[in-house]
Amino acid sequence: MPPRKKGSASRGSFEKAKDFKGTVKKLWKYLSKHKIPLIIVGILTVISTIFSVVGPKILGNATTELFNGLISKYSGGIGINYSKIGKILLILLMLYIFSAIFSYIQGIIMTDISQKLAYKLRREVIEKINKIPFSYYDKKTNGEILSVITNDIDTLSQNLNVEATQIISSIATLIGILIMMFSIDWIMTVITLLTLPLSISLIAFVMKKSQKYFIDQQNFLANVNGDVEEMFSGQNVIRAFNAEDKMIESFEVDNEKLAEVGWKSNFISGLMHPIMTFIGNLGYVVIAIIGSYFAIIGRITVGNIQSFMQYSKNFNNPISQIAQISSVLQSMIAACERVFDFLGEKEEKEGTKKFADASNIIGNVEFKNVKFGYNEDKIIINDFSAKINDGQKIAIVGPTGAGKTTIVKLLMRFYELNAGSIYIDGHNINEYKKSDIRKLFGMVLQDTWLFNGSIMDNIRYGNLEASDDDVIKACKTAHVHHFIQTLPDGYNMTLNEETTNISGGQKQLLTIARAILANPKILILDEATSSVDTRTEELIQKAMDKLMEGRTSFIIAHRLSTIRNADLILVMNNGDIIEQGTHDELLDKKGFYYNLYNSQFEK
């Protein structure tokens, strides 16, 4: 297996967030479209929190009433007023019920917002995939892109659903507790607040340390996804070359790195809770001592002591929650940053705003001094020039790496030229809309592409408006109709995800039928018959000859016997045309083509 392209995380050094604030601003732009529901969520969360915060104070009143009743009973008074205590507890029960109802409603609204956001982001990512230049996919693995669609958007959606309301609730709880504590006794409140600077300092320190690990965790997760995707898609190759151990070893390297940064991120963020609990317990002990003294001197009631101690114990809970949320928030922002980075990738650009009309194109093609390299520092097409008239059958031949397939990719504007120009019917291809240019072509490539679906749907992909009869007619022309009829369910047979339930030659036949159905003005055949036997090749060649009548056709072939009847053969080597002419003319020259042709018959 060739070495897999790694993401940035594989370089080993830990990354910092490129633009934390900028990512939050971009996220808010999406969320701002749901302002009214978010405001409602905020209001409901605050009300629910207020009801919960007021609860201990009311419970303290019940405790005070019970304490006073006991004292009165032992003093010979009227004793405990159960009616009053019952009313207090009933009020408390109603508060908690309303708090739960409001919390439930805001949960439903927030879930709806988060799912709509995930839906919108997934849709934008899918649309973006079709707009990004092909050069982007030369640098990224399938796993990295899949990770954006699945892991990153899911992380954003799930955490936003829970953590957004939790942040509001924690802040409201913290403020509410402070207000209730001040209403009981300001001295004890100030003592409690003395723990706050220490808590905030620890939170800031832990956040700073753990952020970089959360970012790397997302990056290494993308690498692991890439390994798994390759193992699934390349099972035949892996087993054929006994490369199972090598692939597992590669997976183990990425998995160990993911486990390492995952452990560090969770360990560091997990320190927040025990540290905050320890600080809270220290304050709780101090408050218990001082509160007892104040109760003895009559400064506060017994019920207020209970309420304040409960508030004191709960005071660090929202701070601890905010600390925990901050670690999850870092993971969410790291995932969000990757999504926005992908959506921010440069898109294919059209050369002009005024496009030439492509509806009446005949098929004249001209290459003028074309220069191109997938990387600017490595040019593979040096100075390619050729003129093809409409209806001509052009064969492009040459050794592997000569630039044959690259020429076709440039013709369809999959990549932009470094220099030179390409013309169709006298217009620079940059003057046509890319989608119009690509509609002109019908392609049959060496690497077949079929999707998980019925044979009928796969062939109809060439012309979505075609009827079943049109599909069958195209299949007969491609000499694949008989083969399809022998399959279980015939045209309705479902091809599996990897199309392993039919042979390579059969897949090629189906793609040829799809190209015939498309009825294009210009044909591109890149090793179209490379996966079929000799007898089938002859049948396909006849069908192709019929299909190519009146159409400009580009045929890329290593088997030179298939292009003897081409109108013009372009012989390429090292990115340049070194010979051109008909089959017989090139053989008579006894040059590069002559040697290339005869090498096929050498034993």
Side-chain angles (χ1 to χ4, degrees):
M1 291 290 289
R4 184 172 63 82
K5 295 173 289 183
K6 296 290 185 181
S8 57
S10 62
R11 289 194 292 268
S13 61
F14 291 124
E15 295 182 338
K16 293 183 179 180
K18 291 179 288 185
D19 188 7
F20 189 91
K21 292 181 180 179
T23 302
V24 173
K25 287 180 180 179
K26 290 175 183 177
L27 178 60
W28 174 245
K29 286 182 180 179
Y30 283 86
L31 292 175
S32 62
K33 297 176 182 178
H34 306 280
K35 282 183 180 179
I36 295 177
L38 284 172
I39 291 172
I40 294 174
V41 166
I43 293 172
L44 292 176
T45 303
V46 170
I47 293 174
S48 175
T49 303
I50 290 173
F51 286 165
S52 297
V53 170
V54 172
K57 183 68 179 291
I58 296 176
L59 184 61
N61 293 337
T63 302
T64 299
E65 186 65 33
L66 180 62
F67 177 79
N68 291 337
L70 289 172
I71 297 298
S72 174
K73 184 176 182 179
Y74 283 108
S75 302
I78 58 174
I80 300 173
N81 188 343
Y82 289 103
S83 176
K84 187 173 182 180
I85 293 176
K87 290 179 180 178
I88 293 173
L89 293 178
L90 181 61
I91 293 173
L92 181 63
L93 177 62
M94 295 302 295
L95 284 176
Y96 284 145
I97 289 175
F98 280 116
S99 176
I101 292 173
F102 289 147
S103 179
Y104 177 74
I105 295 173
Q106 60 87 8
I108 292 175
I109 297 173
M110 200 63 217
T111 299
D112 182 66
I113 292 172
S114 63
Q115 290 304 313
K116 284 181 177 177
L117 176 63
Y119 170 83
K120 182 176 178 59
L121 288 174
R122 286 194 186 98
R123 184 173 180 177
E124 288 186 4
V125 167
I126 291 299
E127 291 175 350
K128 187 75 176 183
I129 287 175
N130 297 321
K131 297 177 181 178
I132 294 178
F134 278 77
S135 57
Y136 176 84
Y137 300 103
D138 296 335
K139 304 172 185 176
K140 297 289 183 178
T141 66
N142 293 342
E144 288 176 295
I145 299 173
L146 285 172
S147 183
V148 172
I149 301 173
T150 54
N151 296 326
D152 292 331
I153 294 180
D154 280 348
T155 297
L156 172 59
S157 174
Q158 293 172 9
N159 291 338
L160 181 65
N161 184 26
V162 177
E163 310 306 334
T165 53
Q166 190 65 52
I167 289 174
I168 299 172
S169 177
S170 298
I171 294 173
T173 299
L174 185 62
I175 295 172
I177 287 175
L178 283 173
I179 293 173
M180 298 308 295
M181 289 169 68
F182 271 111
S183 70
I184 295 173
D185 189 273
W186 70 270
I187 294 178
M188 291 195 298
T189 304
V190 171
I191 293 172
T192 303
L193 288 175
L194 291 176
T195 63
L196 193 59
L198 180 59
S199 300
I200 294 174
S201 299
L202 285 171
I203 291 172
F205 176 77
V206 173
M207 283 182 65
K208 184 178 179 181
K209 290 292 183 181
S210 62
Q211 170 67 18
K212 59 184 180 182
Y213 296 115
F214 278 103
I215 294 174
D216 281 315
Q217 186 176 11
Q218 293 298 118
N219 288 332
F220 283 122
L221 182 59
N223 283 346
V224 168
N225 285 338
D227 285 326
V228 174
E229 191 272 336
E230 282 189 350
M231 287 184 185
F232 274 114
S233 62
Q235 274 295 300
N236 292 340
V237 177
I238 292 171
R239 297 192 185 190
F241 289 93
N242 294 318
E244 294 94 333
D245 293 339
K246 184 177 181 181
M247 291 301 296
I248 291 173
E249 182 182 344
S250 174
F251 174 81
E252 281 298 320
V253 171
D254 288 335
N255 197 27
E256 285 177 8
K257 290 177 181 178
L258 176 61
E260 180 183 349
V261 295
W263 183 88
K264 288 180 180 179
S265 63
N266 286 284
F267 173 75
I268 294 176
S269 62
L271 290 175
M272 292 183 186
H273 184 69
I275 292 173
M276 297 299 296
T277 300
F278 175 73
I279 295 172
N281 287 337
L282 287 179
Y284 182 69
V285 171
V286 174
I287 291 302
I289 296 172
I290 295 175
S292 300
Y293 171 73
F294 283 172
I296 293 171
I297 64 176
R299 181 182 175 92
I300 58 175
T301 65
V302 173
N304 281 341
I305 294 177
Q306 177 201 335
S307 299
F308 195 92
M309 291 183 69
Q310 191 170 350
Y311 284 130
S312 174
K313 189 172 183 179
N314 293 335
F315 177 70
N316 279 321
N317 284 347
I319 298 177
S320 179
Q321 287 174 353
I322 292 173
Q324 292 293 332
I325 292 169
S326 67
S327 64
V328 177
L329 186 64
Q330 292 175 71
S331 177
M332 185 182 80
I333 294 301
C336 195
E337 188 174 50
R338 285 165 55 87
V339 175
F340 291 142
D341 283 347
F342 181 80
L343 293 175
E345 287 290 334
K346 292 181 179 179
E347 299 181 0
E348 285 187 320
K349 294 181 179 179
E350 298 287 1
T352 178
K353 291 183 178 179
K354 258 191 169 183
F355 300 107
D357 183 15
S359 60
N360 296 316
I361 283 180
I362 300 173
N364 294 302
V365 179
E366 183 177 4
F367 296 87
K368 279 189 177 181
N369 308 113
V370 171
K371 181 180 180 182
F372 173 75
Y374 291 104
N375 297 313
E376 291 186 5
D377 57 343
K378 190 176 181 181
I379 301 300
I380 59 174
I381 303 293
N382 299 299
D383 187 12
F384 183 90
S385 295
K387 189 172 183 179
I388 298 99
N389 296 321
D390 67 279
Q392 279 191 316
K393 186 193 302 182
I394 308 301
I396 305 176
V397 301
T400 300
K404 303 184 297 296
T405 302
T406 300
I407 287 295
V408 170
K409 291 179 179 179
L410 296 178
L411 183 61
M412 296 189 70
R413 291 193 66 189
F414 287 165
Y415 296 87
E416 297 299 327
L417 305 179
N418 293 74
S421 52
I422 301 174
Y423 297 88
I424 296 180
D425 282 9
H427 289 278
N428 191 307
I429 58 172
N430 292 328
E431 297 177 15
Y432 294 106
K433 201 172 183 180
K434 286 185 178 181
S435 58
D436 290 341
I437 281 285
R438 291 165 188 169
K439 284 179 184 177
L440 300 173
F441 295 90
M443 298 183 67
V444 179
L445 304 179
Q446 184 175 5
D447 297 325
T448 58
W449 180 82
L450 297 168
F451 57 83
N452 180 215
S454 70
I455 290 177
M456 179 70 74
D457 289 338
N458 268 279
I459 297 173
R460 188 180 278 121
Y461 201 80
N463 180 4
L464 299 178
E465 304 299 324
S467 65
D468 290 355
D469 290 338
D470 292 332
V471 173
I472 294 172
K473 185 178 178 181
C475 291
K476 288 180 178 178
T477 305
H479 300 281
V480 71
H481 175 69
H482 175 71
F483 149 68
I484 295 174
Q485 286 185 315
T486 64
L487 295 173
D489 299 326
Y491 282 89
N492 294 320
M493 175 183 167
T494 299
L495 302 179
N496 61 29
E497 188 173 354
E498 299 296 332
T499 60
T500 54
N501 50 348
I502 58 175
S503 70
Q506 291 164 346
K507 285 190 284 188
Q508 193 69 279
L509 289 168
L510 294 179
T511 60
I512 291 170
R514 184 170 61 194
I516 292 171
L517 184 66
N519 194 26
K521 294 184 178 180
I522 302 176
L523 282 173
I524 296 173
L525 309 175
D526 187 352
E527 295 292 335
T529 59
S530 62
S531 300
V532 296
D533 57 80
T534 305
R535 180 177 178 277
T536 305
E537 180 184 347
E538 291 175 358
L539 295 173
I540 291 175
Q541 198 63 52
K542 292 178 182 178
M544 286 300 175
D545 289 340
K546 184 176 180 181
L547 178 64
M548 288 185 287
E549 288 178 3
R551 292 185 176 89
T552 305
S553 304
F554 292 88
I555 307 167
I556 299 173
H558 284 295
R559 294 161 68 175
L560 304 186
S561 59
T562 63
I563 47 94
R564 289 177 179 176
N565 60 344
D567 297 313
L568 178 65
I569 298 174
L570 303 177
V571 185
M572 292 189 65
N573 192 29
N574 297 324
D576 290 322
I577 296 176
I578 57 174
E579 292 178 354
Q580 57 181 301
T582 64
H583 175 73
D584 293 333
E585 289 172 351
L586 292 172
L587 287 180
D588 290 340
K589 290 181 180 179
K590 295 188 177 181
F592 190 89
Y593 180 83
Y594 175 84
N595 295 327
L596 194 65
Y597 181 77
N598 287 318
S599 66
Q600 297 181 115
F601 307 104
E602 294 177 357
K603 294 183 180 180

